[in-house]
Amino acid sequence: VGRTSAAVTGKSFQARLIEHFRRARRDTDLAVLEGFHALKHALRFEAELVEVVATDPEEVLVLAAALAPDLVELLQARMQTVSADVLSALAPRAPRTGVMATAKRPHIDVRQVIDEPASAPIVLLEDPRHMGNLGACIRVAAAADAAAVLCTGPNDPWHPEAIRGAAGLHFALPVVHLHELVNSDRPLVAIDPDGDDLVPGRLPPRSILAFGTERHGLSDQLLTSAAMRLRIPMRPGVSSLNLATSVAAVLYAWRFASMDGLGS
Ligand SMILES: C[S@@+](CC[C@H](N)C(=O)[O-])C[C@H]1O[C@@H](n2cnc3c(N)ncnc32)[C@H](O)[C@@H]1O
């Protein structure tokens, strides 16, 4: 029997837990995982958990048995029971699945990520604003097996809303908040509605694929430093795709071409 059977109700425990989650939201060494899917992927990709709490651990185990049987035992050993009131104090929107966790963020060496010789592209998001959208970019980058997601601008890609949007897939590939652009020998490719048509199979190996901010697109600085500028073809009258949709279209153009042996 794991800790799941014991409801922890002590006032000091609850206060400590609320303080821990509150601090974790601002701590750049920690990640807050809201809901079952974020926790599931974090565990699959070997996150180091700190706290795991659930309002009904048995219900979480039923969900795990259906969706992630590989994780049942691990979850059973880690979950602590909390009341619905405590759970709702741990996040602005308590997750429907009634489970939350904190985990240590992995340490990532950006230089090593950029110097990686394998051909998979890196996704560079320039100043993304919408955390759910940012999470969706990370989710598709993990699925397509991109080398990393790098983000510029003030928003932390490890924001709990972005982790929720990525279903916890931050632990599946390097996700880094860049405070300044890093020198690289990789070809910089601006993905921009005013570029030349993207031809699957012609993306250079080891590209850095740069996507612009939701409202204004890529900065002039990035456009002028790019080796090429490519567009996803659209029907006349449509001005642009959503940011995460365009990341998905380009990454899967690369992925399908490399599966067919066409490209990098
Ligand atoms: C919502 S769009 C920005 C729209 C902005 N008004 C513009 O013209 O770039 C966000 C990002 O998605 C990418 N994007 C959207 N539609 C695209 C397309 N058809 N071709 C290439 N990139 C596109 C670009 O990287 C763009 O900066």
Side-chain angles (χ1 to χ4, degrees):
V1 180
R3 286 150 87 189
T4 55
S5 55
V8 191
T9 52
K11 275 262 181 323
S12 63
F13 165 76
Q14 293 177 2
R16 188 189 63 73
L17 209 52
I18 291 168
E19 175 56 19
H20 169 72
F21 273 80
R22 200 180 59 78
R23 229 175 5 86
R25 300 186 83 79
R26 300 186 313 259
D27 187 335
T28 54
D29 291 328
L30 291 177
V32 176
L33 312 172
E34 299 176 350
F36 179 76
H37 297 286
L39 176 57
K40 173 189 73 183
H41 282 131
L43 280 172
R44 281 230 177 102
F45 291 99
E46 297 173 2
E48 194 182 330
L49 297 179
V50 180
E51 297 283 359
V52 188
V53 297
T55 49
D56 186 346
E58 292 308 322
E59 203 173 283
V60 176
L61 293 177
V62 169
L63 201 56
L67 301 177
D70 49 318
L71 303 176
V72 169
E73 228 173 279
L74 244 169
L75 281 168
Q76 190 161 28
R78 292 303 307 263
M79 278 187 290
Q80 304 189 77
T81 309
V82 292
S83 68
D85 283 349
V86 170
L87 192 85
S88 63
L90 303 184
R93 278 188 303 128
R96 245 182 341 107
T97 46
V99 60
M100 284 186 59
T102 54
K104 293 190 179 161
R105 298 188 193 185
H107 173 73
I108 295 160
D109 179 340
V110 190
R111 191 70 264 164
Q112 200 178 330
V113 170
I114 289 178
D115 291 345
E116 166 63 47
S119 63
I122 287 177
V123 172
L124 172 64
L125 304 175
E126 200 183 30
D127 194 10
R129 302 293 171 90
H130 186 278
M131 293 299 101
N133 219 357
L134 171 48
C137 295
I138 292 166
R139 188 173 186 167
V140 74
D145 213 4
V149 176
L150 311 178
C151 282
T152 66
N155 287 315
D156 179 5
W158 286 81
H159 187 285
E161 281 291 324
I163 297 178
R164 201 163 170 153
L169 283 160
H170 288 60
F171 293 92
L173 80 174
V175 174
V176 180
H177 191 192
L178 282 185
H179 297 286
E180 54 189 23
L181 286 179
V182 184
N183 287 337
S184 165
D185 62 347
R186 289 175 176 260
L188 179 62
V189 180
I191 306 296
D192 182 76
D194 291 330
D196 302 320
D197 277 355
L198 166 69
V199 179
R202 298 240 187 106
L203 276 176
R206 302 183 69 245
S207 297
I208 295 184
L209 305 171
F211 297 84
T213 190
E214 288 91 336
R215 176 80 54 92
H216 303 294
L218 285 164
S219 66
D220 290 343
Q221 190 201 354
L222 201 137
L223 287 170
T224 49
S225 8
M228 61 180 82
R229 188 164 169 175
L230 299 177
R231 79 186 283 266
I232 305 157
M234 293 179 296
R235 177 182 169 177
V238 178
S239 46
S240 70
L241 296 167
N242 155 280
L243 172 61
T245 308
S246 51
V247 173
V250 175
L251 284 182
Y252 273 90
W254 160 72
R255 175 127 180 132
F256 288 135
S258 53
M259 282 161 67
D260 277 351
L262 289 176
S264 44

